[in-house]
Amino acid sequence: MQDVAPPAIPAELRTLMAEIGPKWATNTKGHIQLMIDEFSELLKHSPKRGVDVQPNITYGPHERQAFDVYRPHSPSQTPRPGLIFVHGGAFTEGRRDRSSEIYANVLYYFARHGIVGINAGYRLAPEARYPEATRDIAKVVAWMRANATDLGVDPERIFLMGHSAGGAHVGSYAFDRRHQADGGHGLAGVLIISGRVRADSHAHNPNALRVAEYYGSDAAVHEDVSPVSHVDATSPPTLIACAEFENPLIDVYCFELAYRLGAAKRKAPPFMWLKGHNHTSIIGQFNTAEDALGRACLNFIRATG
């Protein structure tokens, strides 16, 4: 039985995206939920055949210290790349199964293209404050490296991908040596998708109080705990993407990350700015017929490591 084709984003949904995009910042929480609902319905029709899912593998005692593994069903003569995806949620909420379809769509997409994926959970603020979420991510990276042979993964080709607050935790692990084991980050590359890679309490940030729940409210500390503050010439290869309509300041900080990486490495990193998309549709579109960002990610993974 042949798998279904990825569904196209319907005209009605594109009209809705165009309508709420310019006013995204007036109700980020409501607009995020609206997009989750709409893309979840669309993704019910996305291709999933040929992917084996092993759910709820624990890596710690907390209920959120768990992940799901997505593996291509077809055998491979050589080890595959591995990718760990870290969800968003403004530091205080969110989960790896934001709906029955999101964020599984991201891992289905990569597994369909020959990449072994992990959909990772982590502890949230205020119960777990900085840098506890990043420490959780470090444990998942270590788990994938330790189990690479059983997973069919090349341990030298492990990638870390984060969306929104997940991008902050990914960036902290990948760029800040204080959160890495003695042997380094162990990554072939990093993918930051609409990541809040700078901690801030700016008045324009509707999630400033949530940032404070995780990082604390001392603005003087925020520079030191921000992933962008720790970029240097040895930082792992990084792809960055953001949407036209973002939660306030996230696009600014993604551009800052690209600039700092380019300045440090003397070469600009791959960067995508997705016209017409918003903070949630940029991740909801994975495993649909809209494939530009997905293809960019695949090309980055194939060319790196």
Side-chain angles (χ1 to χ4, degrees):
M1 182 176 178
Q2 195 172 28
D3 204 353
V4 298
I9 298 176
E12 299 81 14
L13 180 50
R14 289 199 181 278
T15 298
L16 179 61
M17 290 162 60
E19 177 186 334
I20 68 174
K23 54 186 180 183
W24 183 266
T26 64
N27 181 14
T28 55
K29 191 168 185 177
H31 291 149
I32 286 170
Q33 188 59 54
L34 178 59
M35 289 292 99
I36 288 171
D37 293 343
E38 293 290 334
F39 274 90
S40 292
E41 283 299 313
L42 176 63
L43 289 164
K44 288 179 181 178
H45 308 287
S46 65
K48 300 178 178 71
R49 287 178 59 84
V51 178
D52 296 329
V53 182
Q54 187 176 1
N56 207 38
I57 298 172
T58 60
Y59 66 92
H62 195 281
E63 63 179 356
R64 288 186 173 271
Q65 291 175 309
F67 55 78
D68 311 315
V69 175
Y70 291 71
R71 302 171 69 174
H73 183 71
S74 59
S76 175
Q77 297 296 320
T78 58
R80 302 178 186 271
L83 179 137
I84 298 164
F85 177 78
V86 184
H87 67 81
F91 303 102
T92 64
E93 61 178 14
R95 54 188 184 272
R96 69 186 192 274
D97 51 349
R98 190 69 182 255
S99 74
S100 61
E101 302 291 339
I102 295 175
Y103 297 92
N105 64 307
V106 178
L107 287 307
Y108 273 116
Y109 177 83
F110 284 107
R112 288 179 50 241
H113 290 88
I115 296 169
V116 177
I118 283 179
N119 188 13
Y122 57 89
R123 292 168 296 158
L124 302 176
E127 180 182 3
R129 304 186 73 186
Y130 173 86
E132 293 305 315
T134 293
R135 288 175 174 165
D136 284 352
I137 302 313
K139 291 178 181 178
V140 180
V141 173
W143 187 94
M144 180 174 259
R145 289 184 62 85
N147 291 274
T149 300
D150 291 342
L151 293 170
V153 164
D154 181 349
E156 302 307 314
R157 299 191 66 210
I158 292 175
F159 294 80
L160 193 53
M161 177 180 184
H163 174 242
S164 196
H169 303 317
V170 163
S172 285
Y173 175 77
F175 305 137
D176 190 340
R177 291 187 182 90
R178 294 175 296 186
H179 307 308
Q180 300 167 7
D182 292 341
H185 50 67
L187 301 172
V190 178
L191 301 92
I192 302 288
I193 312 299
S194 298
R196 188 170 287 281
V197 290
R198 174 171 286 286
D200 74 275
S201 55
H202 200 286
H204 290 163
N205 176 7
N207 289 321
L209 292 178
R210 295 182 178 186
V211 170
E213 290 276 12
Y214 183 65
Y215 292 107
S217 57
D218 186 353
V221 174
H222 288 171
E223 181 72 24
D224 179 57
V225 299
S226 294
V228 293
S229 300
H230 299 279
V231 166
D232 61 26
T234 67
S235 295
T238 304
L239 177 146
I240 305 159
C242 63
E244 181 178 6
F245 304 111
E246 284 287 358
N247 289 9
L249 300 175
I250 281 183
D251 51 350
V252 175
Y253 298 151
C254 284
F255 275 89
E256 180 186 6
L257 175 62
Y259 168 78
R260 290 200 178 204
L261 282 165
K265 292 175 174 285
R266 297 291 182 246
K267 183 179 181 180
F271 189 102
M272 285 194 73
W273 180 84
L274 278 77
K275 182 174 176 60
H277 276 283
N278 56 60
H279 184 67
T280 304
S281 69
I282 195 173
I283 210 76
Q285 69 174 333
F286 277 91
N287 218 26
T288 73
E290 182 149 334
D291 206 24
L293 178 56
R295 286 290 168 187
C297 293
L298 292 173
N299 290 339
F300 172 75
I301 290 169
R302 289 165 180 164
T304 306

